Every structure is written in structure tokens, then in C-alpha cells.
């Protein structure tokens, strides 16, 4: 079954760190660029970052650069997002997503179910 | 960053109605636009890519049009299954950005 399953969310205190994971199955994970997107009631859908299929190329939203780190382990069919110095405004549902074709992600036809991160004192 | 502005933010229509949602980009994005449908508690689902191409399995009552800065998603003959929130997304340049969403009710 082709799917993405996120994990690692939860309730965390401000300034702590968190690592989110996304496990892929049912397709050749190492062929695809992968993306993290988050959704908040206030800001809606926000693109965070993408990583090339090899892991050598990474892009981040400027507003999030520095605190967010994307990585992948193709041997484990897994994508990761490490978030440092968490802020209340990082509270969101975090999705990993895959484009429909290999290459630079332009659209997303496969999404995980999302993992919820709540940052609160 | 390219700002994507959707209107209306919400609408209520009857079964069988034709519904139109617009998406305006803050600069020319050519044809680099996609549409998603999201139901409560679920991830967004790709509906239309590259302005007017229907994703596999999407009913033909959905259609997309536009270019440059002005885009439209049309639902011909609205059905109960179409309830949800619709988002446009540009991929002309990074960061990829989404519209604020249009919530469709019946």
C-alpha cells in the first residue's frame, strides 16, 4: 500500500527540540523528492522544506531557516524534520508529502495523515 | 514570496449549483498552479494540477482555468461529497505558497 505515516508529534515546552518522522511504503522512496508542510488555523498551509531524493539538496522557507532541518534515510524509507527552539507559533499539524513524479516537487499527490505538534508552556 | 489570495473565504450553495472559487497571485505565475480539496481531519487531496489537468479519479464536474495571476476552480453541479475546503498552490517559485482556503458548505 502506497502511504506515508508521520510520527513524533506531541505536547512540548517552548525552546525544546523535536524530531518528526515520516515512514514511506509502497513506492521507491529513494526516487522522490520529499516535502514537509504544516497547517495552522491562523496561517493555513505553509510549505516548510523539501529535500532531493539523494538528500544532497535542501530548501527551506526563509522564515523557518535556521530552526528547521530536513533529512532522510533512504535505507529506512524515512524522512525527518528536526525542529529546534520550538515556539508557540510552531503549533500545527505537520505533513510529509510526495510529488506525483520524480524531480523537483511542484504538486503533492501523496500526503501522510499528519502529526500534531502543540507548543505550550 | 508570492501571495495567493482566494475568494470567497467561504460559501454556501445547493446541490446541483455551479460553484466558482477564484485564486489571485501577487505576481505572474504562468500556469504553475494546483488545486487541493481538504475534508475535516484529513490531509489535502490533489484535485487539479497545472491549472486545468484533473488528477486521476477526480470527477469531471471539477474544472480549472486561468493563467498569469488570475485562476478559477469551478464545480459544476455541486454534490454533497464536495463539502470541504479548497486551496490553490503556486509552484512558480520558492517558497511554494498556498491560498488561504475556501470553505464550501451545502
Amino acid at each position: 500500500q502506497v502511504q506515508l505515516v508521520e510520527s513524533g508529534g506531541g505536547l512540548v515546552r517552548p525552546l525544546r527540540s523535536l524530531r518528526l518522522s515520516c515512514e514511506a511504503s509502497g513506492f521507491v522512496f529513494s526516487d522522490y523528492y520529499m516535502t514537509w508542510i504544516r497547517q495552522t488555523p491562523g496561517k493555513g498551509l505553509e510549505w516548510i522544506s523539501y529535500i532531493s531524493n539523494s538528500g544532497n539538496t535542501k530548501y527551506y522557507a526563509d522564515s523557518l531557516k535556521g530552526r528547521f532541518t530536513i533529512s532522510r534515510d533512504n535505507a529506512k524509507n524515512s524522512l525527518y524534520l528536526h525542529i529546534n527552539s520550538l515556539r508557540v507559533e510552531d503549533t500545527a499539524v505537520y505533513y510529509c508529502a510526495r510529488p506525483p513524479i520524480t524531480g523537483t516537487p511542484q504538486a503533492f499527490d501523496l500526503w501522510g495523515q499528519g502529526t500534531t505538534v502543540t507548543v505550550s508552556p | 514570496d508570492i501571495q495567493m489570495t482566494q475568494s470567497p473565504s467561504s460559501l454556501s450553495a445547493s446541490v446541483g449549483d455551479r460553484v466558482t472559487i477564484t485564486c489571485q497571485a501577487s505576481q505572474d505565475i504562468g500556469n504553475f498552479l494546483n488545486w487541493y480539496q481538504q475534508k475535516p481531519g484529513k490531509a489535502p487531496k490533489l484535485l487539479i494540477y497545472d491549472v486545468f489537468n484533473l488528477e486521476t479519479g477526480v470527477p469531471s464536474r471539477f474544472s480549472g482555468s486561468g493563467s498569469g495571476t488570475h485562476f478559477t476552480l469551478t464545480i459544476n453541479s455541486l454534490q454533497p461529497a464536495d463539502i470541504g475546503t479548497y486551496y490553490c498552490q503556486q509552484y512558480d517559485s520558492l517558497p511554494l505558497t498556498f491560498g488561504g482556503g475556501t470553505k464550501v458548505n451545502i
Side-chain angles (χ1 to χ4, degrees):
Chain A
Q1 184 181 1
V2 177
Q3 63 178 2
L4 299 169
V5 179
E6 299 99 335
S7 61
L11 174 63
V12 293
R13 304 300 182 208
L15 303 181
R16 302 297 289 267
S17 296
L18 196 64
R19 188 182 83 159
L20 306 181
S21 300
C22 169
E23 186 170 350
S25 58
F27 64 97
V28 182
F29 179 70
S30 59
D31 281 351
Y32 290 86
Y33 282 52
M34 295 297 295
T35 295
W36 284 101
I37 293 166
R38 69 182 183 181
Q39 185 169 31
T40 64
K43 293 187 72 176
L45 290 163
E46 181 179 21
W47 175 80
I48 298 170
S49 175
Y50 80 65
I51 185 169
S52 63
N53 58 320
S54 66
N56 291 336
T57 300
K58 303 173 186 180
Y59 282 98
Y60 297 92
D62 282 346
S63 60
L64 304 176
K65 200 179 297 185
R67 293 193 303 117
F68 288 69
T69 303
I70 193 170
S71 61
R72 66 191 296 161
D73 184 338
N74 286 342
K76 295 183 178 179
N77 290 334
S78 292
L79 174 73
Y80 305 103
L81 184 70
H82 195 272
I83 313 173
N84 288 325
S85 301
L86 278 155
R87 304 170 181 172
V88 171
E89 54 264 36
D90 294 322
T91 295
V93 177
Y94 287 75
Y95 294 102
C96 60
R98 189 206 74 175
I101 57 174
T102 59
T104 307
Q106 299 169 340
F108 307 101
D109 72 334
L110 181 65
W111 297 63
Q113 84 286 359
T115 188
T116 301
V117 174
T118 304
V119 184
S120 179
Chain B
D1 297 2
I2 298 175
Q3 308 301 319
M4 306 300 291
T5 303
Q6 284 183 237
S7 61
S9 57
S10 67
L11 67 89
S12 186
S14 299
V15 173
D17 282 355
R18 182 179 186 182
V19 169
T20 300
I21 299 168
T22 65
C23 177
Q24 183 120 9
S26 60
Q27 64 189 68
D28 191 333
I29 60 170
N31 290 337
F32 299 144
L33 183 104
N34 306 314
W35 289 96
Y36 298 83
Q37 175 195 63
Q38 186 177 33
K39 295 187 178 282
K42 300 292 186 182
K45 171 190 170 185
L46 180 63
L47 277 184
I48 291 175
Y49 60 95
D50 300 346
V51 176
F52 56 81
N53 294 294
L54 263 61
E55 178 71 349
T56 303
V58 173
S60 58
R61 61 180 180 273
F62 290 91
S63 63
S65 63
S67 67
T69 62
H70 188 83
F71 302 88
T72 299
L73 172 69
T74 300
I75 310 173
N76 282 303
S77 189
L78 186 70
Q79 299 300 306
D82 302 334
I83 291 173
T85 303
Y86 293 82
Y87 297 93
C88 58
Q89 173 242 321
Q90 68 81 21
Y91 59 93
D92 178 68
S93 63
L94 293 178
L96 305 181
T97 49
F98 294 82
T102 296
K103 189 172 184 179
V104 174
N105 289 306
I106 290 180

